[in-house]
């Protein structure tokens, strides 16, 4: 399947994250329509009810909205998208830092590594 | 009538000695994708054939929409057997006409669209098509109906991953929201994401009927993993 | 639904029997044309042998066509009802009566067409022989006019017992067509009850039904004939044959009706596809 879902974690959470990601990264632009439940479910190879649930959750958070005429559209509230983006980034950073600490790196080492990785001069 | 399928005390004994179904009781709701799971010889195909009126039960009955298998149920069930039933001498277009004549819920334009997307020539005779293409033609015919119940017997057995994705996609895209899809398989990991519910059969008995969510929450593992545990020899 | 079933059934089966009957007619013209060759007075003895071979071919063509059509219809019935194709046939939203009739009626039509074709073929062969062997320039039309005249002179058309006889033959012919189709349907359906050897079961059932019908006709007709003959000497042979043919027709129809209801019951209540 194109969505590379794995069976260790709940499918519903995985597709939720994936659609969030696509909105944040601009695959689905603010104010544009997203595909129907059926199409998304077929793409992901998941049960339409599961997809429905994930979309309902997105709707509850306000990231997508249902319009009577054109189905579901991505919110035009750029602040909200930005907020979600920051939130996702925060989660990634937390995860990263935790792993680095497990590997025995301290704060200085991590910053150093990050600066190098992103092409800057080390301190 | 809230339940679509009711199975009561269903028993099938072959040749007076081989028990394929052993007093099975089961109900299937509307609007779900249900996996009929079990190892080979667990009675899946026997159950499916009885539902479609191709086998006569030894005891008990199956009701679909409150009716025993007959002309009324057959008008509302779309069935994909595990073998090819298309007569070799017919053209694809003749089969479309055949389905259109007999099944009121058949949507030829939908079938034509799917055939075109796979570049299957409507004027080709079935015998000139490869085995894989024949199976796809059959799937397209079956999924182009607006049936209440789709009964798909081993739709993904023995196909390559690309074909499997195509089949799963076709099923999800075409079934009606109020319809139920019952699909049998022994390859659970391939389809477990599309299921609402599962029915486990073992040696003609019902082992478990549950939603996929229940299994994940209560057992803390995937349906596939749980299945392996239940049927471990 | 019956109309639709009939339409599709006819489309599917008409080709092969039509080709067989076409071949028969070609062979009969070919066989008849041998009479125009100098078969008997030729110095080449090989020509005579060749002509005999052609007539034998014709003879086998007649037998072959009638067996061929019956066998083809039987195999087609078996294939669409009880093999993989049966998975589609029996999941159509039609009643078992509609399904059976859609198979039986075309079968009867082809049995009838085959019989008519054989009659036509014999007529072609016979008239060609007569035309060729009469050197006095007879035409086709002439031959039949003469046959007609001879029959009229013999009082054929006023003869009630002869008319009765012909009617009884016609009845027997029609009943034969009905029972011919029902024998196929009945024996194949009964054969399905035999666990694993369904084809063998069908063939067995065919001969079993045939035997039963033979025995039944003996039981019914032998006393009738004996009684008729012993009571008073019948005026003509027709007085004995006519009731026999009528009786055979009634028996054939009764057996056919019985087989129909038996087959319908088996298909509706005892179907078990492998």
């Amino acid at each position: 399947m194109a969505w590379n879902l794995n069976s260790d974690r709940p499918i519903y959470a995985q597709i939720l994250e994936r659609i969030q990601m696509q909105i944040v990264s601009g695959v689905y632009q603010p104010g544009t329509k997203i595909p129907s439940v059926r199409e998304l479910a077929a793409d992901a190879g998941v049960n339409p009810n599961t997809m429905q649930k994930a979309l309902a959750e997105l709707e509850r958070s306000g990231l997508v909205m249902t319009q009577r005429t054109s189905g579901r559209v991505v919110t035009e509230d750029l602040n909200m998208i930005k907020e979600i983006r920051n939130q996702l980034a925060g989660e990634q950073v937390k995860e990263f830092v935790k792993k680095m600490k497990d590997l025995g790196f301290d704060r200085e080492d991590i910053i150093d590594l990050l600066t190098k990785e992103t092409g800057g001069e080390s301190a | 009538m809230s339940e679509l399928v009711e199975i009561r005390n269903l028993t099938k004994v072959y040749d007076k000695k081989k028990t394929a179904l052993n007093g099975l009781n089961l109900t299937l709701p509307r609007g779900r994708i249900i996996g009929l799971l079990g190892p080979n010889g667990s009675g899946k195909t026997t159950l499916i054939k009885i539902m479609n009126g191709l086998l006569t039960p030894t005891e008990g009955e199956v009701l679909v929409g409150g009716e025993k298998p007959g002309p009324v149920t057959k008008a509302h069930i779309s069935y994909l057997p595990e073998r090819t039933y298309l007569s070799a001498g017919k053209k694809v277009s003749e089969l479309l006409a055949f389905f259109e004549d007999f099944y009121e819920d058949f949507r030829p334009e939908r079938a034509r669209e799917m055939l075109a997307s796979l570049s299957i020539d409507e004027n080709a005779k079935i015998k000139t098509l490869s085995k894989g293409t024949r199976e796809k033609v059959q799937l397209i015919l079956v999924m182009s109906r607006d049936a209440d119940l789709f009964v798909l017997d081993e739709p993904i057995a023995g196909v390559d991953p690309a074909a499997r994705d195509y089949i799963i996609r076709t099923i999800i895209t075409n079934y009606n929201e109020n319809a139920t899809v019952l699909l049998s398989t022994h390859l659970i990991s391939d389809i477990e994401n599309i299921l609402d519910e599962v029915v486990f059969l073992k040696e003609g008995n019902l082992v478990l009927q549950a939603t996929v969510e229940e299994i994940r929450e209560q057992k803390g593992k995937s349906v596939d993993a749980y299945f392996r545990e239940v049927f471990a020899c | 639904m019956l109309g639709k079933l009939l339409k599709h059934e006819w489309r599917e089966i008409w080709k092969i029997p039509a080709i067989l009957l076409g071949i028969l007619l070609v062979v009969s013209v070919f066989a008849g044309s041998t009479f125009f060759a100098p078969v008997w007075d030729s110095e080449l003895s090989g020509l005579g042998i060749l002509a005999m071979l052609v007539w034998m071919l014709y003879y086998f063509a007649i037998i072959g066509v009638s067996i061929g059509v019956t066998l083809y219809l039987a195999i087609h019935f078996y294939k669409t009802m009880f093999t993989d194709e049966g998975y589609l046939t029996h999941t159509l939203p039609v009643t078992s009566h509609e399904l059976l009739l859609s198979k039986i009626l075309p079968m009867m039509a082809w049995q009838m067409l085959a019989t008519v074709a054989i009659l036509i073929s014999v007529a072609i062969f016979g008239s060609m022989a007569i035309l060729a062997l009469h050197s006095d320039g007879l035409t086709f039309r002439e031959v039949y006019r003469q046959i007609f005249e001879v029959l009229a002179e013999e009082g054929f058309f006023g003869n009630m017992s002869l008319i009765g006889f012909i009617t009884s033959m016609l009845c027997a012919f029609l009943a034969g067509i009905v029972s011919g189709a029902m024998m196929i349907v009945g024996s194949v359906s009964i054969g399905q009850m035999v666990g694993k050897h369904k084809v063998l079961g069908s063939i067995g059932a065919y001969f079993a039904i045939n035997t039963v019908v033979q025995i039944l006709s003996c039981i019914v007709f032998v006393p009738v004939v004996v009684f008729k003959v012993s009571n008073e000497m019948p005026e003509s042979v027709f007085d004995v044959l006519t009731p026999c043919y009528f009786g055979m027709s009634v028996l054939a129809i009764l057996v056919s009706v019985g087989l129909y209801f038996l087959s319908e019951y088996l298909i509706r209540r005892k179907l078990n596809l492998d």
Side-chain angles (χ1 to χ4, degrees), chain A residues 1 11 38 43 45 47 49, chain B residues 165 169 172 175 193-194 196:
Chain A
M1 283 296 146
I11 302 303
R38 196 59 76 94
D43 271 343
N47 187 292
N49 292 331
Chain B
D165 283 2
R169 207 190 151 82
I172 294 175
Y175 88 102
N193 288 346
I194 72 164
D196 288 296

Side-chain angles (χ1 to χ4, degrees), chain A residues 1-2 4-12 37-50 53, chain B residues 31-33 164-165 168-169 171-177 190 192-197 213 216 221-222:
Chain A
M1 283 296 146
N4 285 323
L5 304 171
N6 64 55
S7 53
D8 302 336
R9 292 177 51 219
I11 302 303
Y12 149 80
V37 172
R38 196 59 76 94
E39 281 169 68
L40 284 170
D43 271 343
V46 303
N47 187 292
N49 292 331
T50 313
K53 226 172 90 181
Chain B
R32 302 285 172 82
I33 302 182
R164 185 196 60 207
D165 283 2
I168 291 177
R169 207 190 151 82
I171 295 169
I172 294 175
T173 322
N174 287 291
Y175 88 102
N176 173 300
E177 273 157 43
D190 283 345
E192 87 165 83
N193 288 346
I194 72 164
L195 300 178
D196 288 296
E197 266 185 37
E213 234 166 289
R216 287 221 173 99
K221 53 189 76 170
S222 71

Side-chain angles (χ1 to χ4, degrees), chain B residues 119-131:
Chain B
S119 314
I120 297 174
D121 180 10
E122 271 186 48
N123 292 312
K125 282 197 174 174
I126 294 299
K127 62 181 159 209
T128 66
L129 303 175
S130 70
K131 183 171 169 281

Side-chain angles (χ1 to χ4, degrees), chain A residues 19-46:
Chain A
I19 298 171
Q20 263 182 348
M21 199 68 182
Q22 284 176 323
I23 292 173
V24 166
S25 64
V27 174
Y28 301 129
Q29 289 287 332
T32 60
K33 212 184 135 194
I34 58 171
S36 70
V37 172
R38 196 59 76 94
E39 281 169 68
L40 284 170
D43 271 343
V46 303

